[in-house]
Amino acid sequence: MAAKDRTIRRRLRQLRLMVSGSAALPVPVLDRWRKISGHTLLERYGMTETGMVLTNPYEPASNRIPSYVGKPFPGIDVAILDDNGDIHRDDSTEGELIIKSPSLFDRYLDNPEATEATFLDWEGDKWFKTGDCAVYHSDVDSYKILGRLSADIIKKSGYKISALEIEDVLLQHEAVSE
């Protein structure tokens, strides 16, 4: 390791917490950051409309699962809305992540059409449709974001393929990763 790299690593080790949020973080990027900094990034999920919703554990860092964004913060409910309009919790169904939270925004300003299209009434509560495809894996008790429904999900022969998973595989190739 070069002297400059050691200096950067020493300075980064002084930080208490490093967080990655919003988009899914490819595993090769997580691994590279760990190599550079000595830290395992804390992956979380949230949006402007929702605030932080899902999180991996703060401690111990060894319990953080690469490419997963964790479980809901206290007081926040999440579920998966499948292609048939059915809602799922605690199973491996892929679909749109929906959120119910006391900190959820209540409308898009001066845009009632977008507001109506974004919210879903379920069991007497107002749920926000994120537009993100996700899946819950009970074996690791964590959610994984697969991408934006409008752009990152490729449908091929009846299967949904996440462009983020393809990116992850490409980033692992030696010609791409450096």
Side-chain angles (χ1 to χ4, degrees):
M1 184 181 286
K4 182 179 178 181
D5 291 343
R6 284 192 299 275
T7 300
I8 291 170
R9 186 176 181 132
R10 187 177 63 252
R11 288 185 179 161
L12 289 173
R13 283 190 180 270
Q14 296 172 355
L15 296 175
R16 183 178 61 84
L17 178 64
M18 296 179 187
V19 177
S20 170
S22 294
L25 183 67
V27 174
V29 174
L30 180 78
D31 290 341
R32 179 84 173 118
W33 187 252
R34 187 182 302 125
K35 182 178 176 184
I36 291 168
S37 70
H39 284 276
T40 300
L41 287 166
L42 176 60
E43 291 185 76
R44 290 182 165 170
Y45 172 85
M47 303 173 70
T48 301
E49 294 92 338
T50 65
M52 280 293 129
V53 175
L54 300 168
T55 185
N56 273 294
Y58 172 66
E59 291 184 325
S62 60
N63 284 354
R64 298 176 191 162
I65 304 164
S67 79
Y68 285 79
V69 291
K71 300 186 322 188
F73 280 96
I76 296 176
D77 290 317
V78 299
I80 301 292
L81 177 66
D82 72 17
D83 290 343
N84 298 321
D86 296 323
I87 296 175
H88 303 264
R89 294 178 184 243
D90 302 334
D91 67 15
S92 59
T93 301
E94 292 181 9
E96 184 171 11
L97 183 69
I98 60 173
I99 299 167
K100 181 180 80 164
S101 166
S103 61
L104 187 63
F105 83 124
D106 65 347
R107 70 185 176 285
Y108 288 107
L109 186 62
D110 298 328
N111 196 341
E113 296 84 14
T115 301
E116 185 175 335
T118 304
F119 283 97
L120 167 74
D121 287 323
W122 181 47
E123 297 181 342
D125 291 313
K126 186 173 166 179
W127 290 72
F128 175 68
K129 295 165 41 178
T130 64
D132 288 326
C133 186
V135 62
Y136 172 80
H137 288 143
S138 59
D139 57 333
V140 292
D141 193 22
S142 188
Y143 284 86
K144 183 174 190 169
I145 304 300
L146 302 175
R148 293 292 295 166
L149 288 169
S150 61
D152 296 334
I153 302 300
I154 301 161
K155 294 181 180 177
K156 175 72 175 145
S157 302
Y159 293 96
K160 290 182 186 175
I161 304 167
S162 169
L164 299 174
E165 291 176 315
I166 295 169
E167 177 186 30
D168 191 45
V169 170
L170 289 172
L171 286 172
Q172 292 178 41
H173 191 278
E174 63 187 45
V176 178
S177 64
E178 297 295 322

